[in-house]
Amino acid sequence: MKTAWRSSKIVTPTGIVDGVLLVDDDKIVAVTDGDEVPSGYTLRDVGLAAILPGFIDAHVHINEPGRTEWEGFETATKAAAKAGITMVADMPLNSMPVTTTLDAWEQKVAAAKDKLYVNVALYAGAVPGNVNQLSTLVDSGAVAAKCFMVHSGIDEFPNTSIADIRQALLELRAHQVPLLAHAELEIGQSYDKRNPRSYAAWVTSRPEQMEIAAIEALFDLCRETGAWVHIVHLATGAALPLIAAAKSQGLRITVETAPHYLYFAAEDIPDGATQFKCAPPIRSSQTREALWRGLIDGTIDMIASDHSPAPPAVKQLESGDFTNAWGGIGGLQFGPSATWTQMSQRGLGLPHLAHWWSTAPAKLIGMSALRGSLLVGKQADFVVFDPDATMTITEADIEHRHKVSPYVGEILRGKALTTVVGGQVVYDDENGCSQPKGRIVLNPKSGLAQFNALSPESQAIALTRCCGASNWVRQVQAALPIASRNQLFALADRVWADCSTDDYKEAFTHHPKIGDVSKLREKFAATASWSAGEQSGVNQANEEVLQALAQGNADYEAKFGYIFIVCATGKTASEMLALLQARLPNDPAKEIYIAAEEQRKITHIRLEKLLQGG
Ligand SMILES: [Zn+2]
């Protein structure tokens, strides 16, 4: 489908264009001045509304699986679509299990299936003792890892020590992905709980010095390891000189702040208003102004919502008890508009909004090659944004699972009219959200993402090396892209189970004959080291066994019409010979399915190698 999006304000990295954004299928193919629309394109004129690169919210707690009653993929991504957000990056907590192992990763990917209205990237969790999982998680598609330096709020995601963080940084450095740190460190602070409804007491209990102490420790580790550290939700202006100095020394540091720190101020937060509770806390208007200065001068790189909702009871809304309320703000749907509201008052323009909410977060999560700006060749992920529209937020507007948000009652400026992901409208102002067309987007450097990104021809070649049945290859390919190893294996099995015996026989012809040494060597050239590794047992066999295998295979082929297929990994030639002799008397109607099962196992081993870049 070809669409020409006409706007007087197309926000590109080189300036605002009054012209046309041309989209072919899922890609941007041109950004041109003027009104001219090439033939074959359907015109969508958005008039005075702006077109910006889709917002990317790099800090969201979706909480599924396990705490889906707190949020969930469907509600979170609907809220995102309504905000003009085309991709969110989901934190490794507070789902259950937390995303600190491959098994938990697979559970999360499976839970997201068919529920996403925008694209979702996933973070891994770095906790004490799981450093050996981090590479696996990044190889599986995690875009970065996240750690806490104080208690995270949930016991199953323990905070890391300095030594843990050092190990994690060394591991992540090799992958060129950042470690995201919740930067607050215990400094012997105390919490005066005599009035549990007091907002001031909550703020005093999490002083700025906690952030500064953590940031200093992180910078030391950054200097020592040369790894990339990203500070999430900075909430103090007092750390800005420190950050600016470290950046000027060339340390690899990025910093995000959150819209609630840029929008609200402690002076205006009433006692008992626990919908404002988060950590670090929302501080004074002085801090708010300092954070704006930090953004404008580039010390702070980006903005992300840190959406971390909880049910009203967990937020202690009735009692207003700050000492027991969940610390986390429901704000995913309002981040860009809250930011723009404040920006308008400060005379800041749309290019800054595009930078802080799209270009910079795309870079953080390694997605810059295809996302984060309106340039030719990028994914057509964008938002039609009316910068002049205002809206008074009511509970009825909220797509989050729970209608608890400090933004209720606020008048926000700037409204997403249409949200487009990969060229498809996922939200528009009149009709709301369409179908769940989003997907999990993996770290582009991961083996699976690289396989997904191959040309159809190369994918077919790679798959044929795993299993030579052309029908199987075609059907697997039709279901790509795939989001996880388990989903690829499940797909491979499902398609294989539906294949015909002719398909099975076609796959078998792609194997070297076990024991036919000369044929075997010939085939090695075609399948490179794969078959050599799998059939190492054959290489070590003595001549007598090889001859018996060759003879047995000839008998087998004469009887069944195809060669003997066995998953040779870990088997000696003698063991294979025993298997061959045991299967030789089989009824042909039964044997084909035994051989097909062996092929299925071989396919798995080869798919595994494929994902590892084999
Ligand atoms: Zn968070």
Side-chain angles (χ1 to χ4, degrees):
M1 197 176 68
K2 294 178 169 182
T3 311
W5 295 80
R6 169 87 185 88
S7 161
S8 60
K9 294 185 276 292
I10 302 172
V11 182
T12 78
T14 50
I16 296 179
V17 177
D18 179 353
V20 180
L21 178 82
L22 296 182
V23 174
D24 187 354
D25 192 21
D26 63 340
K27 292 277 195 304
I28 297 170
V29 292
V31 184
T32 56
D33 283 334
D35 291 331
E36 209 155 312
V37 174
S39 65
Y41 283 82
T42 309
L43 177 66
R44 288 280 302 258
D45 193 337
V46 305
L48 295 175
I51 297 182
L52 288 96
F55 301 129
I56 296 174
D57 192 335
H59 191 146
V60 177
H61 297 266
I62 293 178
N63 303 335
E64 185 170 0
R67 278 194 185 82
T68 311
E69 71 276 16
W70 288 25
E71 188 57 277
F73 284 110
E74 188 177 342
T75 47
T77 56
K78 273 187 172 175
K82 197 167 177 177
I85 295 164
T86 53
M87 180 180 280
V88 301
D90 176 52
M91 282 293 165
L93 69 166
N94 314 301
S95 55
M96 285 192 290
V98 293
T99 323
T100 53
T101 64
L102 189 55
D103 184 49
W105 171 273
E106 289 285 356
Q107 289 185 48
K108 185 169 271 191
V109 174
K113 205 167 186 314
D114 302 327
K115 292 180 192 156
L116 306 181
Y117 286 80
V118 301
N119 289 332
V120 173
L122 301 175
Y123 292 116
V127 292
N130 87 325
V131 72
N132 61 345
Q133 291 281 314
L134 294 180
S135 284
T136 308
L137 286 164
V138 173
D139 286 338
S140 299
V143 291
K146 161 84 180 288
C147 73
F148 273 72
M149 298 173 80
V150 285
H151 192 276
S152 70
I154 56 166
D155 292 334
E156 64 266 32
F157 197 93
N159 51 290
T160 41
S161 68
I162 296 297
D164 296 325
I165 295 175
R166 179 182 291 113
Q167 278 192 313
L169 284 172
L170 292 171
E171 194 70 24
L172 295 171
R173 186 180 62 185
H175 299 277
Q176 294 287 309
V177 299
L179 179 66
L180 281 62
H182 178 118
E184 282 185 297
L185 210 52
E186 301 279 349
I187 52 162
Q189 77 284 358
S190 63
Y191 189 175
D192 178 352
K193 295 184 175 174
R194 281 173 300 180
N195 175 7
R197 291 174 50 86
S198 165
Y199 184 70
W202 165 244
V203 175
T204 310
S205 77
R206 305 289 284 225
E208 290 171 283
Q209 287 76 12
M210 288 179 72
E211 290 190 69
I212 291 168
I215 289 168
E216 282 174 339
L218 286 169
F219 287 179
D220 285 346
L221 290 166
C222 190
R223 194 172 285 115
E224 179 190 323
T225 60
W228 179 2
V229 171
H230 176 78
I231 293 158
V232 298
H233 51 55
L234 183 77
T236 170
L240 292 171
L242 203 68
I243 296 166
K247 281 188 166 186
S248 71
Q249 289 163 18
L251 295 194
R252 186 125 197 236
I253 292 156
T254 47
V255 180
E256 111 205 355
T257 188
H260 39 270
Y261 302 128
L262 297 166
Y263 186 90
F264 298 109
E267 298 91 306
D268 306 323
I269 299 175
D271 283 348
T274 49
Q275 67 271 32
F276 289 90
K277 182 181 174 182
C278 59
I282 298 167
R283 307 187 198 277
S284 68
S285 53
Q286 228 180 328
T287 296
R288 177 177 64 194
E289 297 314 307
L291 292 172
W292 275 110
R293 284 194 298 276
L295 271 167
I296 291 162
D297 72 18
T299 308
I300 299 171
D301 298 272
M302 69 191 77
I303 308 170
S305 72
D306 191 14
H307 177 68
S308 183
V314 181
K315 276 303 269 180
Q316 301 287 338
L317 277 196
E318 262 176 44
S319 65
D321 179 350
F322 273 96
T323 67
N324 281 316
W326 172 255
I329 278 180
L332 172 60
Q333 194 178 316
F334 308 111
S337 293
T339 305
W340 179 245
T341 306
Q342 290 278 321
M343 287 176 69
S344 315
Q345 292 164 17
R346 291 171 163 76
L348 296 163
L350 291 168
H352 272 110
L353 187 65
H355 180 80
W356 292 328
W357 271 104
S358 188
T359 312
K363 202 169 165 190
L364 176 75
I365 59 174
M367 302 277 180
S368 289
L370 286 178
R371 295 177 172 84
S373 54
L374 299 180
L375 287 172
V376 172
K378 306 255 180 188
Q379 284 287 307
D381 291 358
F382 59 89
V383 52
V384 177
F385 187 78
D386 182 347
D388 300 317
T390 56
M391 47 189 182
T392 304
I393 307 305
T394 66
E395 290 191 355
D397 298 325
I398 298 181
E399 300 288 341
H400 310 151
R401 183 172 308 282
H402 299 289
K403 313 307 169 192
V404 183
S405 173
Y407 294 103
V408 171
E410 294 298 314
I411 301 168
L412 298 185
R413 188 181 181 83
K415 187 176 188 181
L417 302 180
T418 307
T419 305
V420 177
V421 176
Q424 304 203 60
V425 173
V426 298
Y427 168 83
D428 81 60
D429 201 25
E430 273 169 40
N431 305 309
C433 289
S434 62
Q435 302 297 309
K437 290 171 186 163
R439 59 185 179 87
I440 297 285
V441 179
L442 304 172
N443 181 336
K445 287 182 227 147
S446 64
L448 194 52
Q450 291 192 353
F451 171 63
N452 283 331
L454 290 175
S455 69
E457 296 75 22
S458 302
Q459 272 173 351
I461 291 167
L463 286 171
T464 304
R465 289 164 75 190
C466 298
C467 173
S470 48
N471 184 29
W472 179 86
V473 169
R474 234 180 354 261
Q475 289 192 52
V476 168
Q477 213 178 343
L480 300 178
I482 208 85
S484 80
R485 290 165 71 260
N486 281 5
Q487 289 187 8
L488 180 60
F489 293 143
L491 170 69
D493 287 358
R494 201 166 59 239
V495 173
W496 188 238
D498 287 343
C499 279
S500 69
T501 52
D502 283 346
D503 296 327
Y504 295 159
K505 287 175 191 167
E506 185 191 1
F508 302 159
T509 63
H510 285 249
H511 289 273
K513 293 186 187 187
I514 303 288
D516 182 339
V517 183
S518 63
K519 235 335 175 351
L520 205 58
R521 296 221 169 95
E522 207 175 283
K523 292 269 184 182
F524 279 173
T527 49
S529 57
W530 296 11
S531 296
E534 288 162 22
Q535 298 183 356
S536 56
V538 175
N539 293 341
Q540 290 154 16
N542 66 42
E543 198 55 31
E544 199 182 322
V545 176
L546 283 183
Q547 290 306 330
L549 263 176
Q551 184 54 51
N553 192 59
D555 296 344
Y556 183 98
E557 196 173 356
K559 175 173 176 185
F560 297 111
Y562 50 86
I563 63 162
F564 177 64
I565 299 294
V566 63
C567 183
T569 304
K571 294 187 183 71
T572 65
S574 306
E575 284 167 337
M576 279 189 275
L577 181 58
L579 285 169
L580 195 161
Q581 285 164 347
R583 280 165 54 183
L584 204 45
N586 279 345
D587 170 17
K590 180 183 163 198
E591 177 58 22
I592 183 88
Y593 291 99
I594 294 172
E597 173 57 15
E598 292 298 308
Q599 171 64 53
R600 190 190 67 81
K601 290 189 244 169
I602 294 167
T603 305
H604 271 229
I605 290 167
R606 293 185 172 184
L607 285 171
E608 190 77 65
K609 284 176 183 164
L610 179 80
L611 298 185
Q612 288 162 8

